[in-house]
Structure formats: C-alpha cells, structure tokens
C-alpha cells in the first residue's frame, strides 16, 4: 500500500509539472512511445471453503409389530354427541316365541265336494224339512247347515266325513251345532279310498268327546254352540277325517233325546 501511495503521488506531481511547462511540440515526441504499465496488484488467492459432508442419518431398525393378542388396546372413547341407543339384547325366550309363532295352526282349505254323509249302516232318515247338503258345513256361511237323523233306538251311528285329497297334518277341529249333548268320535285314515265300514282297520281313532257343547273342555262354554276338539300334535298325517256320532244326548224330560246331529260349520287345522 505504501508503494501504491508513492506511485500515485509521483503521478500527481508529474501531472502538475506538465501543466506548468510549455506545450510539447510535435518534433519533441519520440516514437515509439515507451508506455510503462504498472502491473496490477495480484488478486488475493481465492478462499476455498471445504464443506464437511453431513453425517448420514442413523437408520433405525423398525420395531417389531406387537401381537393383537398381547397388545393392550385403549378403551373406546364414547361419542358424547351421538344420540344412538345401542340395541337391547333380545329376551331369552324370544326364540321360543318365534318357534311358537312359526308353529301357529293354520286352517286347512276344504275343496268343493270334499264332504259327505258317512252312513255305512244306513241309519240316516231323510227329512225333506231338514237340509242335508254336505257343502253347507264348509261354505263359510254359519246360517246354512247339514244334518243327519238316526232311526230306531240305541246308538246314532251316523257321521260326516271329509276327503282332503291327500294326506295332511292335523291338530284339531272346531264345529258349530245346535244339537248339543251327543258323543263324537274323531277318526282318521290314510288309505287312498274311503274305508267302507267304521270297523275297518283303515280307520284310526284319534279322539272322543262326550256331551258336545255341554262342557267347558278346551276353554269351551256350555251351550254356546261351539266345540273345539284337539286330537293330534300334527306329527301324523291323514287324508280322510270322520266325525262319527255315537251316543245321543241324555234324556231331558219331558223332551226325548234328540237323534239328530246338525252342523253349521266345521274347520280343520294343521
């Protein structure tokens, strides 16, 4: 820096001297001119910055997954804003009720022409004044009726039979009558043809009900004209069903016992 200042001072002095002297004439200039060029100060060496490479991040081994069986899961947080109420557990007896509903007895449709008088002993007395149309028993009209009157004395021995056309499960029947007091026996048969006699081996006795419409059996009311007779659990199937009237109503003086059986309605249930 001192040398630089010294040279700068000399240059200033020379410039001053030149201004104070006479102008230089053309002939006084010697060619070629010797131009003294001051070497530029060497540039300071470039500073090299050596970067230290960043250390590689430490690789951590992944933690082995925990077993769901051994992991302790946090308890679920209840949703305070939710208004949903969890469904209540069904009652313990709901299955039994469902089974009972599924096993609810259903009425069996009786086909046209399926019912008829069963009179193998020719006991029935035809009475023109008493309707004897078998279809009246299952026509759905409680005002229409069918009847049979047994002649002579002793047992009635007349009946009403239904052909279901094929074997079906049977549980019970209901009937409407205005001739209470007789005894009814219920028979079933699985044969392809109607057994011709009540003593035929093809008949199976299912139930007997004495004093029809005269007792409170099976929640009945005496004298209301209705009777329910349960004769099976539905496990067995029958094609023919017979309501066989045997013993007439007891004597009720001064009226003699009725030998007529009259049905207004008859339904079978499976």
């Amino acid at each position: 820096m001192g040398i630089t200042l010294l040279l700068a001072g000399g240059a200033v002095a020379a410039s001053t001297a030149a201004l104070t002297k006479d102008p230089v004439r053309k002939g006084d200039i010697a060619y070629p001119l010797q131009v003294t060029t001051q070497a530029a100060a060497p540039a300071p060496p470039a500073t090299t910055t050596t970067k230290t490479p960043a250390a590689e991040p430490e690789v951590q081994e992944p933690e082995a997954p925990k077993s769901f069986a051994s992991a302790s899961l946090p308890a679920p947080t209840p949703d305070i804003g939710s208004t949903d109420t969890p469904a209540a557990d069904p009652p313990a007896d709901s299955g039994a009720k469902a089974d009972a509903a599924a096993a609810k007895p259903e009425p069996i449709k009786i086909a046209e022409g399926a019912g008829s008088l069963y009179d193998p002993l020719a006991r029935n007395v035809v009475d023109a004044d008493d309707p004897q149309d078998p279809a009246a028993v299952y026509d759905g009209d409680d005002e229409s009726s069918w009847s049979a009157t047994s002649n002579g004395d002793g047992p009635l021995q007349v009946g009403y039979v239904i052909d279901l056309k094929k074997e079906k499960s049977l549980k019970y029947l209901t009937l409407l009558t205005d001739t209470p007091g007789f005894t009814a026996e219920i028979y079933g048969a699985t044969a392809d043809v109607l057994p011709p006699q009540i003593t035929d081996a093809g008949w199976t006795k299912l139930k007997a009900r004495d004093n029809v419409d005269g007792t409170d059996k099976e929640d009945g009311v005496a004298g209301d004209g209705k009777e329910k007779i349960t004769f099976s659990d539905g496990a067995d199937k029958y094609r023919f069903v017979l309501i066989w009237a045997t013993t007439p109503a007891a004597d009720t003086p001064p009226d003699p016992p009725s030998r007529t059986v009259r049905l207004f309605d008859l339904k079978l249930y499976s």
Side-chain angles (χ1 to χ4, degrees):
M1 290 180 63
I3 295 173
T4 302
L5 291 175
L6 181 60
L7 291 176
V12 172
S15 298
T16 302
L19 291 176
T20 56
K21 292 182 177 181
D22 293 337
V24 178
R25 292 185 297 273
K26 182 178 179 180
D28 294 333
I29 300 174
Y31 293 92
L33 295 176
Q34 300 292 326
V35 180
T36 303
T37 302
Q38 182 178 354
T47 303
T48 303
T49 303
T50 303
K51 295 183 178 181
T52 304
E56 295 183 1
E58 182 179 356
V59 179
Q60 296 182 354
E61 293 294 332
E63 184 178 355
K66 296 181 179 180
S67 170
F68 285 110
S70 60
S72 177
L73 299 178
T77 303
D79 185 1
I80 299 177
S82 174
T83 58
D84 294 339
T85 302
D89 292 333
D93 61 343
S94 61
K97 291 182 178 179
D99 293 340
K104 181 180 179 180
E106 296 291 339
I108 297 175
K109 182 176 178 57
I110 300 175
E112 184 177 356
S116 62
L117 168 71
Y118 187 73
D119 186 20
L121 302 177
R123 303 276 288 182
N124 182 51
V125 176
V126 177
D127 186 348
D129 296 331
D130 210 351
Q132 298 185 7
D133 180 10
V137 176
Y138 53 86
D139 62 0
D141 182 3
D142 293 348
E143 298 299 324
S144 62
S145 64
W146 164 91
S147 67
T149 301
S150 176
N151 62 9
D153 297 327
L156 298 175
Q157 295 181 319
V158 292
Y160 184 88
V161 66
I162 296 175
D163 181 4
L164 298 175
K165 309 302 180 181
K166 64 179 182 179
E167 295 180 11
K168 294 185 178 181
S169 297
L170 300 173
K171 292 184 178 179
Y172 66 89
L173 63 79
T174 60
L175 59 83
L176 296 179
T177 183
D178 66 350
T179 56
F182 67 94
T183 297
E185 295 178 351
I186 312 302
Y187 289 84
T190 59
D192 293 333
V193 295
L194 181 66
Q197 298 294 329
I198 190 62
T199 56
D200 195 291
W203 286 117
T204 300
K205 186 176 180 179
L206 305 177
K207 191 68 175 283
R209 174 63 51 82
D210 58 351
N211 196 8
V212 171
D213 190 31
T215 68
D216 58 359
K217 293 180 180 180
E218 298 197 50
D219 298 326
V221 177
D224 66 351
K226 303 176 183 179
E227 188 74 24
K228 177 183 177 182
I229 304 176
T230 301
F231 47 80
S232 173
D233 60 2
D236 297 325
K237 297 182 179 181
Y238 301 95
R239 172 176 174 172
F240 295 98
V241 181
L242 172 63
I243 296 88
W244 182 245
T246 58
T247 307
D251 288 336
T252 309
D255 297 329
S258 172
R259 297 189 64 80
T260 297
V261 174
R262 185 178 297 108
L263 300 178
F264 288 87
D265 183 75
L266 175 65
K267 289 184 173 64
L268 295 171
Y269 292 83
S270 62

